[in-house]
Amino acid sequence: MRLSTVALTVFLAATSKTAEAFGPSAPIRGTAFGVNNNNVVVSNNGASSMTMRIGGSDMKRKQRILEIIDSNPSQEVVQDVLLSESTSAAIQKCNWKLRKVLIRKIKNQAGRYGLSVDASFGVPPTQEEREEKEREEGAKRQQAKQGALKAAQEQVQAAKEARVKRRAESKARAAEFAAQMKQKKGDSKPAAAPTPTVAAAEPVKEEKPATAPAPAASGNAVTPKTIKELRDATGAGMMDCKKALLECDGDQEAAAEFLRKKGLAKADKKASRVAAEGKIAIASQNGKAVMVEVNCETDFVGKDSTFLGYCDKVASAALNVEGDNVESLMSQEVDGESLEATRQALVAKIGENIQVRRMSTRGDGNTVVGGYVHMNQIGVLVELEGGDEALCTDIAMHITAMNPPYATADEVPAEVLEKEKKILSDQALESGKPPEIVEKMVEGRIRKYLEEICLVSQSYVKDGDKTVGKLLEEKGAKIVGFSRLAVGEGIEKKEDDFAAEVAKMAGVKSEEAAVPEPEPAKEEPKAEAPAPAKSSGGAVTPKTIKELREATGAGMMDCKKALLETDGDQEAAAEFLRKKGLAKADKKASRVAAEGKIAIANSGNRAVMVEVNCETDFVAKDGSFLEFCDKVASAAVDVAGDNVEELMAKEAGGETLEATRQAMVAKIGENIQVRRMASRGGEGSTVGAYVHMNRMGVLVELEGGTEQLCMDVAMHIAAMNPPYATADDVPAEVLEKEKKILSEQALESGKPPEIVEKMVEGRIRKYLEEICLVSQTYVKDGDKTVGKLLEENGAKIIGFTRLAVGEGIEKKEDDFAAEVAKMAGVKEPAAV
């Protein structure tokens, strides 16, 4: 009913028949179709027929225009002010009802002086006009971009031509100099033989060409072999090595120096880029321990074996440095060159900014020092008076988890305490209690505050029944101090979304990233260990316990107990441990396993993907667990459909995967489950896959195209997570639900039904672009969609599957302290 009143009122106001009822310049105020004290537009009936609200911005625009109209403006004012472009733009920003009224008022004023009003005055542009304007502006931007790109290309080409010219001039000067030297030598020899001038000259000419080219051919040739030698020596890229050898006429030493200078330039260029990832490395010797933070730009490089080796080298060299001076550290020589030179060479090789940011030293030989590094990201050094290194490590674990700012209450600055007292006093006084009660409340809260921020008064993470101070007292030790460093702490870094991370990863060479991964495979020879274990007598000795432990992977005490139970028989003891392991596996099966790995394997034109779960991220990085995941994926290739039970019945290495899983549960001590599998592929299709950080996997199936194209599309899906491949895949009920929501939103704007319908159509189009793979903007090239990419490569999407570790599993969220306590070896019942 409210909308009907508005429509009628606006219609009457717009018609010429009723214009006299309102007058040529009737103000929109009071109760005659104006605004009441609550900024609400009302009709002639006053406040009883409220129609719509006017925003603050609209009120200001309306007020400015009405003040001019109420002042009975002259023809000049009407023409120059009311009919100006700025007034038209201001009216365009008003809501549509107020806009109509203001236009009518201005037309009435213009009519008084016979002035014409343009039909587009005060009318906002339509959707089509806005889109056309945006297209024109976009075309201009694109043209400017192409012009800038072309100019940059011309500049690069000009620089290249200048470089070639300089090189040619340099070679010409060198050739001229060589010719002059030859001429000098040639002139000096004939002068020694005065009589036979012609006869002496001929042998000289023959001798020089015979001797000069020989060494040039042997030392200066640029061949694949010499390029490989230089690459092995410097670690530079193949093309860089070739260019260096060409620049230096095949001289290996000069080429290495050329690459080194180029590396220094690269290092200087990259030094301004933010390096907030990296590693904390610790080294200790003779009662002294040092901790260094080495930073890089991305977590990919942070896991690279070359980078990690450099971090350990820096930590070892830091033991020889007095104090915590990083400059002195970087001047230390290791393997014949300074750490700074090694860093610059590493920057040139890896292509990221690498910095040794800070170091911390503890211990002077008279105290006990120990350290702990958590996941290469957080490091702690602890210095004690008394105790031992193991106690230092335990306390360092606690500090890693709880992050106390101070060791004891004596170290808390007075200003910190005063500030906290003031805050607590203000809070207590607001309660309205008497001053003496407030004072006692503040004292109690300060005591509690000190317990929380001081190491010695905190509850020990591995035993909640005692404090760290009590632990030290029991061990006859006293805290001297501690240092705690976290990678990237205090560095303001750019936060990339997941799409940007995947796009960046797509441009990184995969050879280097893949190098560190096969390391756990070194444990394979242990599979042959049971052979010598069989030949064992009845005696239970440390040697037989060790043999059984290597064969089964069980704990030392479990192996000893098994051998005692079976009179030293290795095979019977292994069977005993196996049965015990099955019982453990059954016991742990009810525990939540929401961490793990996504593993992928393919055979021909079929690819499979499996999710294997464990309880913690520590186990998810364990070599044995990762090897088991790959074994499961390889076996899944031979399973028809996506049946996990059938998969677990498959044999691998002489036993079923289920038996291997149960043995691993017994060995590692966590619930491990093969949760699900997915497969794609068939005759005439192309299949590819991508796994992101072992936690997210995607299979893509195309009609046409290549495996590399599948992988590129899989990377996009990993980043953007589209629910559907094409608009045809979107269920009708999903579209209907979205249409209903969008229609209700559009109707609330008060626009006519035909406008609402067009608005909904446009928004549904936009919605489909966002949720469908083929219409999404491709993460590696923002100028094209995934559909356009497929079209360019003559391919068509058949479907895709995306799995993420722990997706849909409701898991218990442990705090960091519990995580460290678990890693430290605390038994599960104590943790519960």
Side-chain angles (χ1 to χ4, degrees), residues 82-93 99 103 106-107 116-126 129:
L82 289 180
L83 297 178
S84 66
E85 288 291 333
S86 59
T87 304
S88 176
I91 293 174
Q92 287 176 9
K93 295 177 183 177
R99 188 164 62 240
I103 291 172
I106 291 172
K107 282 183 176 179
S116 62
V117 181
D118 192 273
S120 62
F121 179 82
V123 179
T126 63
E129 289 171 345

Side-chain angles (χ1 to χ4, degrees), residues 374-450:
H374 181 74
M375 308 291 287
N376 286 344
Q377 295 291 298
I378 300 173
V380 178
L381 294 180
V382 172
E383 188 177 3
L384 299 178
E385 195 177 294
D388 55 22
E389 192 172 341
L391 178 62
C392 289
T393 303
D394 287 343
I395 293 174
M397 280 187 172
H398 173 96
I399 294 168
T400 302
M402 303 307 295
N403 193 15
Y406 310 101
T408 64
D410 296 334
E411 293 180 7
V412 182
E415 57 269 20
V416 172
L417 269 182
E418 285 301 317
K419 184 179 179 182
E420 190 65 21
K421 276 183 182 178
K422 186 175 184 303
I423 294 168
L424 294 174
S425 298
D426 292 344
Q427 290 175 349
L429 285 168
E430 285 177 2
S431 65
K433 290 183 172 59
E436 59 274 12
I437 301 297
V438 166
E439 188 176 348
K440 288 183 180 179
M441 287 172 65
V442 171
E443 284 176 5
R445 290 178 182 176
I446 284 289
R447 241 188 340 265
K448 182 71 174 172
Y449 172 70
L450 289 173

Side-chain angles (χ1 to χ4, degrees), residues 43 109 239 319 435 450 461 725:
S43 70
Q109 291 294 326
M239 295 307 296
L319 287 168
L450 289 173
V461 290

Side-chain angles (χ1 to χ4, degrees), residues 288-305:
K288 180 184 178 182
V290 292
M291 177 168 59
V292 294
E293 178 186 355
V294 187
N295 296 120
C296 56
E297 289 179 50
T298 63
D299 58 346
F300 308 113
V301 171
K303 296 180 180 72
D304 181 72
S305 57

Side-chain angles (χ1 to χ4, degrees), residues 337-407:
E337 64 177 2
S338 68
L339 289 173
E340 175 60 15
T342 308
R343 182 193 71 81
Q344 290 171 342
L346 198 59
V347 170
K349 179 181 178 182
I350 291 179
E352 284 198 9
N353 182 19
I354 294 171
Q355 295 291 338
V356 179
R357 183 185 174 207
R358 51 184 173 166
M359 63 178 285
S360 179
T361 309
R362 285 264 167 202
D364 57 1
N366 300 318
T367 54
V368 181
V369 185
Y372 169 71
V373 178
H374 181 74
M375 308 291 287
N376 286 344
Q377 295 291 298
I378 300 173
V380 178
L381 294 180
V382 172
E383 188 177 3
L384 299 178
E385 195 177 294
D388 55 22
E389 192 172 341
L391 178 62
C392 289
T393 303
D394 287 343
I395 293 174
M397 280 187 172
H398 173 96
I399 294 168
T400 302
M402 303 307 295
N403 193 15
Y406 310 101

Side-chain angles (χ1 to χ4, degrees), residues 558-573:
D558 286 335
C559 291
K560 182 179 178 181
K561 183 179 178 182
L563 286 167
L564 289 171
E565 288 282 345
T566 54
D567 297 325
D569 188 321
Q570 289 274 348
E571 290 186 2

Side-chain angles (χ1 to χ4, degrees), residues 750-816:
K751 289 182 171 57
E754 61 274 11
I755 301 297
V756 166
E757 188 177 348
K758 288 183 179 179
M759 286 171 64
V760 171
E761 285 176 6
R763 290 178 183 177
I764 283 289
R765 241 189 339 265
K766 183 71 174 172
Y767 172 70
L768 288 172
E769 286 175 7
E770 291 172 355
I771 67 171
C772 295
L773 169 66
V774 293
S775 54
Q776 287 183 338
T777 302
Y778 183 37
V779 291
K780 289 173 67 177
D781 187 348
D783 293 331
K784 65 175 74 169
T785 63
V786 176
K788 184 69 175 174
L789 172 72
L790 294 172
E791 184 182 337
E792 288 174 357
N793 288 275
K796 185 180 178 184
I797 187 77
I798 295 175
F800 66 85
T801 306
R802 183 183 189 270
L803 297 182
V805 169
E807 201 171 37
I809 297 176
E810 187 177 349
K811 61 178 178 177
K812 179 185 174 184
E813 292 291 334
D814 291 326
D815 61 1
F816 188 44

